[in-house]
Amino acid sequence: MMLDILPFLSCKLRFKGRLLQPNCQIETLDVLTTVDPPEVSASSSCFDSDSERPSISSRVSCSSRTSSKFSQWQSCPPSDGDCRSITAASFDGGGVRGVSSAKIMSILMDDLARATGREERVGDCFDLLAGTSTGGLIALMLGRLRVPANSLIQIYSELSARLFNSKLKTLRSIFKGCKYSGSLARKLFEGIVMENAVEGASALLNSDMAEGCDVFVTTVDVMDVTGNPLLLRTYDCHPSHTIAEAAQATTAAPTYFPHKVLSSGNVVVDGGVRFNNPTELLIREAHMRFGKNVKFNLLLSIGTGEKSPIIMRRCSSGLSLMSLPKMMGKLMTDSEAVHERVHAKFEDTDMGTYLRINVPAIGDVNLDDFKSIPEMILATERFMNTPEMLEVRRRTVEILKSGLCRERASLS
């Protein structure tokens, strides 16, 4: 499957041509957002060397529309203080399309390294990461395991090839109800943890030895699918699950992998069943974790590709029931409705800066189509280097650099 990227971009992107300035509005394909990043003075850099600003480009969607109605599982007490500003990132679910999210983070962190003169880890730049399914795996690797962003793509590509390269998936689907092996997934996740955590394969989510930022991943309890999400947190006050356990739980997509029985006794599946875009959950969690008046220096939401419109096919007697399963699957994993609500919330309230990056043309790649990974990486590279979004990426790096500068100044 070849992705026809350039023609798509030429007809899909609509950019007003205005540079992004504090308190200005920038219109993208589907959204309009207000961006108010902190000022960064080039003359007062806290870094040893202030290299040339990188040539950056990207497309960012920014949006949302109503406050979240989701109630949360009990969280740790919020930090003291009336108002705290944080930097956070949210990663959508999407199977192998998560390689696009990995590439986006790699590009942003490379940009930041050029701006600061040193390699930065995502866990040092963000206060809170959230992820669903493949996005949960990315959040755990970047935030809890502190995997360098530029190493993530290789790990992700190798993992996908081993996980989804099964000749028995049809037979497994018939006799076991899912295409792929849960035991293989557990083994592979434990291998990743063993290579990157000093505590070894059984490392806990909330270990005292953890050095990364706060992370949570989403799951859904099979006994209460329409109820609260079950969030697995690195900062939970209760006895923790292991990192590998959390990774397997948040990626247990129905029909692809078996459900996961947690050590707590809960039987869970992939959070993408209801919370494919966890950005609203992140906002709610930030209020509980950091206080009700928390503001966002940056809330970055990263999607796994724009999907084609949801169509219910017609037949001679009316609407075709054969199209219902696929249509319902798309509706369940839709991320744009959450995006629209979050955008509207940021427009209506003084919550800070919200940006969403979502690459076009890859949203319909099947969750297990690992052979399309090279094409999705190429599509993401081309998209992130379109001239229309150069200023947006520059300002994103400026916000991250400013946060690092303030933190290091407070420690000196």
Side-chain angles (χ1 to χ4, degrees):
M1 176 184 64
M2 294 300 294
L3 303 177
D4 192 9
I5 305 303
L6 294 179
F8 184 93
L9 287 177
S10 65
C11 67
K12 191 80 171 176
L13 287 173
R14 297 198 299 273
F15 187 66
K16 292 288 187 179
R18 291 171 292 181
L19 295 182
L20 183 64
Q21 301 292 342
N23 297 317
C24 78
Q25 291 185 323
I26 183 169
E27 186 170 352
T28 61
L29 169 65
D30 13 286
V31 290
L32 190 67
T33 192
T34 300
V35 180
D36 190 11
E39 293 296 328
V40 178
S41 171
S43 61
S44 60
S45 173
C46 63
F47 300 97
D48 295 334
S49 63
D50 193 11
S51 57
E52 265 184 48
R53 292 190 186 275
S55 176
I56 323 168
S57 56
S58 104
R59 179 260 191 170
V60 174
S61 309
C62 318
S63 82
S64 170
R65 214 145 280 191
T66 45
S67 59
S68 171
K69 302 297 183 183
F70 301 131
S71 58
Q72 296 291 293
W73 288 58
Q74 182 181 0
S75 179
C76 297
S79 57
D80 294 331
D82 293 333
C83 182
R84 177 175 173 180
S85 294
I86 68 169
T87 303
S90 168
F91 301 93
D92 288 10
V96 297
R97 299 197 306 272
V99 75
S100 174
S101 304
K103 184 62 180 178
I104 289 168
M105 289 304 296
S106 176
I107 290 172
L108 290 176
M109 296 309 292
D110 283 346
D111 294 341
L112 182 60
R114 288 193 291 270
T116 64
R118 58 192 287 181
E119 181 181 353
E120 306 290 353
R121 298 294 175 95
V122 172
D124 296 328
C125 304
F126 290 82
D127 300 288
L128 178 62
L129 301 181
T132 290
S133 192
T134 188
L137 182 59
I138 290 172
L140 289 170
M141 286 196 283
L142 292 176
R144 173 60 178 86
L145 295 176
R146 293 176 59 80
V147 172
N150 56 14
S151 300
L152 194 59
I153 296 173
Q154 181 178 353
I155 296 174
Y156 201 90
S157 299
E158 293 175 356
L159 173 66
S160 298
R162 294 186 64 185
L163 202 55
F164 296 121
N165 190 15
S166 172
K167 297 179 180 179
L168 302 176
K169 60 182 181 181
T170 302
L171 290 176
R172 285 189 58 86
S173 182
I174 294 173
F175 292 104
K176 293 193 174 184
C178 56
K179 295 180 180 180
Y180 303 106
S181 167
S183 59
L184 176 60
R186 182 182 68 252
K187 180 180 178 181
L188 293 175
F189 293 150
E190 288 176 348
I192 292 174
V193 176
M194 182 179 294
E195 292 178 5
N196 295 280
V198 294
E199 309 98 308
S202 60
L204 297 176
L205 272 177
N206 65 352
S207 170
D208 293 335
M209 302 178 71
E211 297 180 348
C213 61
D214 289 344
V215 178
F216 75 83
V217 299
T218 70
T219 70
V220 172
D221 195 310
V222 298
M223 300 303 293
D224 190 16
V225 174
T226 60
N228 298 327
L230 198 165
L231 306 183
L232 305 181
R233 307 176 176 94
T234 61
Y235 50 93
D236 209 316
C237 295
H238 305 292
S240 182
H241 303 282
T242 67
I243 301 173
E245 187 179 14
Q248 189 177 1
T250 192
T251 57
T255 75
Y256 286 88
F257 292 101
H259 58 253
K260 175 65 177 175
V261 182
L262 299 174
S263 55
S264 59
N266 298 86
V267 181
V268 300
V269 293
D270 178 353
V273 170
R274 288 188 56 219
F275 308 101
N276 202 56
N277 179 345
T279 307
E280 284 180 316
L281 296 179
L282 185 151
I283 295 172
R284 184 78 178 222
E285 194 75 0
H287 288 157
M288 300 175 71
R289 178 70 171 152
F290 302 107
K292 64 180 182 179
N293 294 320
V294 66
K295 295 185 183 298
F296 293 90
N297 291 324
L298 174 65
L299 173 52
L300 178 64
S301 173
I302 298 184
T304 55
E306 294 179 355
K307 296 182 179 181
S308 58
I310 300 174
I311 300 173
M312 189 170 187
R313 300 187 183 281
R314 295 177 178 272
C315 62
S316 58
S317 58
L319 295 176
S320 172
L321 295 180
M322 296 295 291
S323 65
L324 273 177
K326 188 174 183 179
M327 184 186 72
M328 294 304 297
K330 280 192 172 184
L331 287 172
M332 289 172 63
T333 58
D334 175 63
S335 294
E336 295 309 301
V338 172
H339 164 57
E340 292 293 336
R341 292 195 296 267
V342 174
H343 170 59
K345 188 175 183 67
F346 272 73
E347 276 196 326
D348 296 340
T349 60
D350 183 23
M351 292 180 61
T353 302
Y354 168 67
L355 303 174
R356 178 168 174 81
I357 303 177
N358 202 17
V359 178
I362 67 171
D364 293 322
V365 174
N366 290 335
L367 301 185
D368 56 352
D369 185 6
F370 68 94
K371 294 181 180 179
S372 292
I373 284 179
E375 296 170 30
M376 288 189 286
I377 293 174
L378 180 60
T380 303
E381 287 177 342
R382 289 177 174 176
F383 183 70
M384 292 293 283
N385 283 287
T386 53
E388 292 89 347
M389 308 314 296
L390 185 150
E391 183 68 7
V392 173
R393 268 178 62 184
R394 185 189 72 80
R395 293 296 286 172
T396 300
V397 170
E398 191 173 64
I399 294 171
L400 296 178
K401 179 179 175 180
S402 176
L404 288 171
C405 184
R406 287 193 301 269
E407 180 179 349
R408 289 167 184 169
S410 68
L411 296 175
S412 61

